[in-house]
Every structure is written in C-alpha cells, then in structure tokens.
Amino acid sequence: MIRRARFTDIVAINDIYNYEVINGTATFDTEKRSLLKAISYYFNHQSLAHPLFVYESCDRVVGFCSLSIYREKSAFRSTVEISLYVHKDHRNEGIGATLLSYVIDYAKKSSEITNIVSVITSENESSIKLFSKAGFINSGIIDKCGKKFNRDLGITNMYLLV
C-alpha cells in the first residue's frame, strides 16, 4: 500500500536511506543522516507540491519516494526532484516501479508540478532503466562530479514533463 508518510515513519525511512549512505552509491551523502535531519526532511515534504510517500508491506515501510524543491530560485518552483529508495531486502519486487508510477500520477494531477527531474548516479543502471521505462528522458551525464568510496562518480540527469 502506498500512502503519505507519517511522523511515525521517520525512523524506517531514515534506516532505508542510511543503508544506502553507508553501503551504496544511490546517494552522494557520505555520512549517515541524523534523526534530527530526518525529521527536517519529513517536515520539508508536507506540501502538496513536495510530498513524501511510503510503500508499506505487512505494516512495515519498505520504500519511500519524495518530490523535493529542485532549485531555490522561484522560476524553478514547478520543477521537482524525485528521490526513490527501496529497502535492501525488498528490491526486485516491483516496489520501485509501483512507487514511481504512483508519484508520476500524483504529479500529473497537480497544478503545481510541470517537470520531474531525477539525478541518478551513472553507475546505477537499474534506476536509469526504471526511470527510462517510466518515460523519463536522459538529458545528459556529468562525469566525475562526486567522490564516494574513493571513486569518482558521475550523474545521469533525467526528466519527465507531466
């Protein structure tokens, strides 16, 4: 079941995210997100244009997806940046695709959103494939723009007009 995140979901969301911080390259964060920052993240995603959704299975949050402010300048206000994470034990179950489809439908119904941007680590082929299948257009790669695990990493920028 997909629903808006609740305050009580913060720890589960943060655990999913922090697993990637420590073990993966889906995020360029290199230090775990604190509970205080997780609470701030939650409250920054309470508006209609910038929601936070969770995928719940057996009363447990196993994935989440948010639409965030893309850039601070007011000209960008109708563009959002999507973030999508699935618990390591629930990957390849279709949760990511289901969450992505749900959030795209949500954005299409919103009068405040015209464009969804996804910034994906270039080596994350499964995410690039997922977003491509959902209709996102690859708008370019920036090589060696981040460093994690002593490796230079690039990003693939993708977008979907809604």
Side-chain angles (χ1 to χ4, degrees):
M1 165 179 85
I2 298 173
R3 60 172 173 76
R4 287 292 294 253
R6 299 180 192 128
F7 188 81
T8 54
D9 299 324
I10 292 172
V11 170
I13 291 167
N14 208 37
D15 287 347
I16 292 168
Y17 184 78
N18 280 335
Y19 177 83
E20 266 316 304
V21 171
I22 299 304
N23 298 290
T25 58
T27 175
F28 278 17
D29 275 344
T30 57
E31 295 180 17
K32 284 185 174 183
R33 182 169 57 190
S34 70
L35 182 57
L36 189 58
K37 282 189 179 180
I39 292 169
S40 177
Y41 177 81
Y42 170 81
F43 281 114
N44 286 332
H45 290 87
Q46 296 304 300
S47 73
L48 291 176
H50 304 110
L52 173 59
F53 296 100
V54 296
Y55 189 106
E56 188 177 69
S57 177
C58 299
D59 296 321
R60 185 171 171 235
V61 172
V62 296
F64 71 93
C65 188
S66 65
L67 297 177
S68 301
I69 294 171
Y70 174 64
R71 298 285 185 266
E72 292 295 327
K73 293 178 174 65
S74 63
F76 291 113
R77 77 177 143 263
S78 67
T79 298
V80 294
E81 184 173 348
I82 190 168
S83 297
L84 190 154
Y85 292 87
V86 176
H87 189 283
K88 66 177 179 68
D89 295 336
H90 293 274
R91 294 183 184 154
N92 301 310
E93 296 177 9
I95 293 169
T98 302
L99 261 171
L100 182 57
S101 176
Y102 183 92
V103 172
I104 290 169
D105 287 344
Y106 175 89
K108 285 179 177 180
K109 294 174 189 169
S110 171
S111 61
E112 298 179 49
I113 300 170
T114 59
N115 193 349
I116 305 171
V117 173
S118 180
V119 181
I120 304 170
T121 308
S122 293
E123 69 179 30
N124 189 344
E125 294 175 16
S126 61
S127 286
I128 293 169
K129 183 185 277 188
L130 173 69
F131 280 81
S132 292
K133 280 185 180 180
F136 280 71
I137 297 166
N138 185 328
S139 58
I141 295 169
I142 303 173
D143 287 323
K144 297 183 179 183
C145 62
K147 192 174 211 73
K148 190 168 181 183
F149 305 130
N150 261 345
R151 295 174 38 231
D152 290 319
L153 300 170
I155 56 172
T156 298
N157 295 289
M158 303 184 82
Y159 72 96
L160 178 70
L161 298 176
V162 294

